[in-house]
Amino acid sequence: MAEYDLDIVQTVQALKAEPDVRKALSLAKEQLPQIIEIQKELVLIEAPSFHEEKKARRYAELLKDAGLEDVLIDEHFNVRGKIAGVGHTGKSVLLEGHLDTVFSFGDVKGVTVDEEGRIHCPGICDDTRALVANLSVLKALKSAGIRPYHDIVIAATVCEEGLGGMLGMRTLLESLEKETDVLATVSIDGATADRFYANATGMVDWSVTFTGPGGHAWTAFGTPSALHAACRAASLIADIPLPTNPKTITTVSLIEGGQAIHGIAQECTFKINARSDSQEDLEKLNEQMIAAFEMGAKLENDRWGKPNVIKVRYEKLLSIPAGHQDDDCRMIQAAKVVTEAVGITPAFMPGGSTNANMAISKGIPAVCFGRGGEEYGQHTLDEWFNPKGVEACEQKSILMLLALAGLDHRIKPLGETL
């Protein structure tokens, strides 16, 4: 075993020795058939980002039925409730997964199970599996009669995917911070039981539009072109020197414009995705890209000696903050210890853009555990899930939550020591 702070190791060992905790860990496996049926039900409730209400309402019912207290749905359709801690401390640990999927309405045709037990359906893994994993954790804790010392909040968030920009996690934390001291967050997202993410790759998306008068390719020759200006800007962006550590990237990912093959383009729009493991480097890159947008228009106008003909406007479509936790910080140590405690060698993944970003950027210790089991084809219509061994996800969450929130008055919480 790697070197970890002694109290973290002792806390997890003490938890595993408690009969009610052992019961909860066993229940995570025993109740799996029931949980898989709920997973099949939920995946059929389509929930593209910004359209999660129906799935949120059903999930809220499931949480209430499982005994979660104070369940509510907020104005964004985040769902949350709590297992009240015996300490009445006003402090809490959060467990969450996201409701939305990347698919459009109509993409989900049904659920099929093949001869190897793999469940086929778009969204069956990402992140429907997380929703039922967290429901399973709740059921196991309740059935075993476990009460934490601090509160445990269980939530389902909206708008994690795409241009949702993790709106749900951001607004959830803003809401919780008015009511409780959030000591740490645990998100469930991504594949496998061994992988986890605990650092935050920041991300920004831009839409950039160049406009001009256009004209006939022959008779209006010499008129600056919106498309040429966009290409000049794109070329400048492609040449921006980027650091490899912290990893930073940018790409002009989409471009469209022009009105006719024989015309000088009146309008051209491109979109950019940029990411960095450093917020400072991401902000610097934003400044360099904005300069490139402006320079692209200027270069095209200067080419024809016609200042200010081509105009440029730009809009930030998405902004997700970067953040960092030291590789040997106690939150990461705890994630590794609980993973080893269920018999799995942990794989700490570099970077990553998950709901944990929002907590880390606020200075709240956070990790994102993989969903467990076997997965294929996330974000494609060919997505499938094999539940073999998937209970390890729930077992890690049970140990992690109780290590951070404490086990009634028997085992002290680590949450304040992170």
Side-chain angles (χ1 to χ4, degrees):
M1 180 179 287
E3 300 239 344
Y4 303 120
D5 291 353
L6 183 59
D7 63 329
I8 296 176
V9 176
Q10 290 177 334
T11 295
V12 175
Q13 289 175 341
L15 285 169
K16 288 188 68 179
E18 293 293 332
D20 49 355
V21 176
R22 290 203 303 270
K23 181 179 179 181
L25 296 175
S26 295
L27 285 169
K29 184 174 183 178
E30 293 169 12
Q31 64 197 16
L32 189 57
Q34 173 197 6
I35 292 298
I36 293 300
E37 291 306 309
I38 297 173
Q39 187 175 348
K40 292 177 185 176
E41 174 198 346
L42 287 178
V43 76
L44 294 177
I45 306 174
E46 294 181 286
S49 302
F50 302 100
H51 300 281
E52 300 95 340
E53 180 179 359
K54 186 176 180 181
K55 184 174 277 188
R57 296 197 181 282
R58 177 57 181 143
Y59 192 61
E61 291 176 354
L62 292 166
L63 293 175
K64 289 178 184 177
D65 291 344
L68 197 65
E69 304 159 49
D70 301 330
V71 175
L72 62 84
I73 301 174
D74 70 17
E75 67 272 24
H76 302 286
F77 300 107
N78 292 316
V79 182
R80 65 177 168 98
K82 69 179 181 181
I83 303 172
V86 300
H88 306 290
T89 62
K91 299 176 181 180
S92 64
V93 176
L94 170 66
L95 174 68
E96 71 85 33
H98 66 85
L99 289 157
D100 57 322
T101 69
V102 301
F103 302 102
S104 301
F105 286 114
D107 283 344
V108 175
K109 309 297 185 186
V111 175
T112 60
V113 182
D114 65 24
E115 295 178 353
E116 297 181 30
R118 297 178 300 195
I119 307 167
H120 297 255
C121 187
I124 192 67
C125 305
D126 189 7
D127 203 20
T128 310
R129 159 83 289 250
L131 299 179
V132 297
N134 296 348
L135 177 65
S136 182
V137 167
L138 170 64
K139 285 176 171 286
L141 293 174
K142 286 290 185 177
S143 296
I146 288 174
R147 293 287 298 276
Y149 183 73
H150 298 311
D151 294 347
I152 293 174
V153 176
I154 297 179
T157 53
V158 301
C159 293
E160 189 273 347
E161 300 285 8
L163 294 179
M166 303 175 191
L167 170 68
M169 186 63 163
R170 177 171 60 80
T171 55
L172 173 67
L173 289 174
E174 289 171 354
S175 177
L176 286 175
E177 286 172 339
K178 298 174 184 176
E179 306 169 16
T180 179
D181 179 8
V182 181
L183 299 173
T185 75
V186 178
S187 297
I188 308 298
D189 201 356
T192 79
D194 59 341
R195 296 179 188 173
F196 75 95
Y197 297 86
N199 278 314
T201 299
M203 179 165 57
V204 62
D205 289 341
W206 289 93
S207 178
V208 187
T209 299
F210 297 83
T211 57
H216 192 283
W218 177 263
T219 59
F221 182 71
T223 300
S225 163
L227 197 153
H228 289 182
C231 291
R232 294 179 191 277
S235 179
L236 292 171
I237 292 165
D239 287 338
I240 293 173
L242 300 172
T244 56
N245 186 22
K247 184 176 180 180
T248 303
I249 66 96
T250 185
T251 185
V252 177
S253 50
L254 297 167
I255 188 166
E256 59 183 357
Q259 61 281 352
I261 194 171
H262 297 152
I264 296 167
Q266 290 178 284
E267 183 171 304
C268 185
T269 297
F270 64 67
K271 292 183 171 64
I272 299 174
N273 176 245
R275 306 182 189 218
S276 180
D277 288 337
S278 160
Q279 187 63 28
E280 181 180 353
D281 283 277
L282 188 59
E283 290 172 0
K284 178 181 177 182
L285 177 56
N286 278 329
E287 294 174 358
Q288 292 172 304
M289 290 190 297
I290 290 170
F293 307 158
E294 302 280 1
M295 183 57 68
K298 183 178 185 302
L299 289 173
E300 178 63 9
N301 288 327
D302 288 351
R303 164 68 178 84
W304 303 104
K306 297 180 179 179
N308 300 317
V309 171
I310 296 295
K311 309 288 188 184
V312 61
R313 64 180 186 273
Y314 37 91
E315 174 188 8
K316 191 181 289 185
L317 302 175
L318 176 72
S319 183
I320 296 171
H324 177 74
Q325 298 178 116
D326 290 339
D327 288 359
D328 61 350
C329 75
R330 287 171 59 80
M331 188 67 174
I332 291 175
Q333 287 187 52
K336 291 178 178 179
V337 170
V338 300
T339 302
E340 291 179 358
V342 299
I344 295 171
T345 301
F348 176 26
M349 305 302 290
S353 193
T354 70
N355 270 342
N357 281 53
M358 292 301 172
I360 293 168
S361 69
K362 288 176 169 286
I364 300 171
V367 297
C368 180
F369 285 136
R371 293 176 286 260
E374 297 177 350
E375 301 186 7
Y376 173 81
Q378 303 93 330
H379 289 207
T380 77
L381 298 178
D382 298 321
E383 188 171 356
W384 59 252
F385 168 70
N386 186 343
K388 182 179 179 181
V390 75
E391 67 275 2
C393 173
E394 287 92 318
Q395 292 169 342
K396 286 191 301 179
S397 294
I398 289 168
L399 292 174
M400 189 72 166
L401 292 172
L402 294 177
L404 299 176
L407 178 60
D408 50 55
H409 292 287
R410 285 174 284 171
I411 296 179
K412 291 182 179 180
L414 298 175
E416 296 95 332
T417 71
L418 299 175

